Amino acid sequence: MQRHKRRIATALSAVTTSLLLSLSLASTPAHAASHNPIVFVHGLSSDSTSWDDWIADFEADGYSSSELYAISYDWTKSNVTTASTLSTYIKSVLAGTGASKVDLVVHSMGALNSRYYLKNLGGTSYVDDFVSVAGVNHGTSIASLCGWLYTSCKEMQTGSSFLTALNSGDETPGSVSYAAYWSDCDEAINPDTSAELSGATNVDVGCISHTDTNNDYGVYEQVRDFIS
């Protein structure tokens, strides 16, 4: 009889322990998954504040402020110069976060200096995902309006020596995952399809103005899902 009681007590104790453990795990909040830091690169005649909407969206979707970095640079200078600035900036982000790679999300002319960084400055070793939003990847006839004034504009002209060299060979080098989102009524890129990249996931986001592509929530959701 005593042995039977002991068996019942032992069984009840095991069940109680298992139940308490389950309740404890259920009540412990899960740690948020970590992400690659995102580095946002603006375009011509802009600055880091052009990403404010998307940074807020990423934070609302679980990113911390320490995972989101928007660079400002002198957009009048050559994209070669800016690429070097970007290289230094990304190294500082990696050093500060302890991450091994970043995701690059770029807009308009930001695609050119970022791609130069990837192709010529060893950037493919430090970038996991690259997202071009309305990137001037193959130039635009509109750049002739300012090409006489700024080196950066001249480099955006269709057929420029800068673009010819940048697009020679592999447009999407390394093991980086590439995506290019473009609008079919982009007033700043002519033709619209010059925003596409050979070898990338190319997505027509519909009729969105050039300046709205990098704060449009629908485009944001696609970009977020691509880099997640």
Side-chain angles (χ1 to χ4, degrees):
M1 185 64 150
Q2 291 298 325
R3 180 180 300 175
H4 181 64
K5 288 181 178 179
R6 284 197 299 270
R7 287 177 177 172
I8 293 174
T10 300
L12 287 173
S13 177
V15 171
T16 301
T17 300
S18 177
L19 180 61
L20 289 173
L21 180 59
S22 298
L23 290 173
S24 175
L25 291 174
S27 63
T28 303
H31 291 290
S34 60
H35 314 92
N36 287 331
I38 303 176
V39 173
F40 299 91
V41 185
H42 64 80
L44 186 79
S45 191
S46 187
D47 58 37
S48 61
T49 61
S50 65
W51 297 105
D52 285 354
D53 287 347
W54 278 18
I55 286 175
D57 291 333
F58 272 108
E59 288 181 334
D61 283 333
Y63 279 74
S64 69
S65 58
S66 61
E67 294 172 321
L68 303 167
Y69 299 86
I71 186 175
S72 283
Y73 61 89
D74 185 349
W75 54 265
T76 67
K77 293 183 177 179
S78 168
N79 285 286
V80 176
T81 301
T82 301
S84 180
T85 300
L86 179 62
S87 177
T88 300
Y89 186 81
I90 288 175
K91 286 177 182 176
S92 70
V93 169
L94 294 176
T97 61
S100 58
K101 292 188 176 183
V102 302
D103 293 330
L104 262 180
V105 178
V106 308
H107 181 243
S108 192
M109 190 183 72
L112 302 190
N113 46 66
S114 298
R115 289 181 56 213
Y116 188 94
Y117 160 70
L118 289 168
K119 182 172 185 175
N120 299 301
L121 302 180
T124 55
S125 297
Y126 305 106
V127 175
D128 186 20
D129 298 313
F130 173 83
V131 175
S132 167
V133 180
V136 195
N137 289 307
H138 294 92
T140 175
S141 61
I142 306 301
S144 61
L145 298 175
C146 59
W148 62 275
L149 187 58
Y150 302 120
T151 300
S152 56
C153 265
K154 186 176 182 179
E155 291 169 345
M156 287 196 300
Q157 291 182 249
T158 305
S160 70
S161 58
F162 175 86
L163 282 172
T164 299
L166 183 65
N167 292 320
S168 64
D170 191 356
E171 292 185 6
T172 51
S175 58
V176 179
S177 296
Y178 291 84
Y181 297 85
W182 60 280
S183 166
D184 53 27
C185 58
D186 190 325
E187 74 284 1
I189 299 181
N190 184 29
D192 299 331
T193 54
S194 72
E196 294 183 318
L197 274 174
S198 177
T201 298
N202 292 292
V203 181
D204 179 354
V205 298
C207 188
I208 303 174
S209 72
H210 185 77
T211 55
D212 285 341
T213 49
N214 69 324
N215 56 36
D216 180 87
Y217 189 73
V219 179
Y220 159 75
E221 289 181 308
Q222 295 182 71
V223 171
R224 177 202 62 199
D225 292 346
F226 180 80
I227 67 177
S228 63

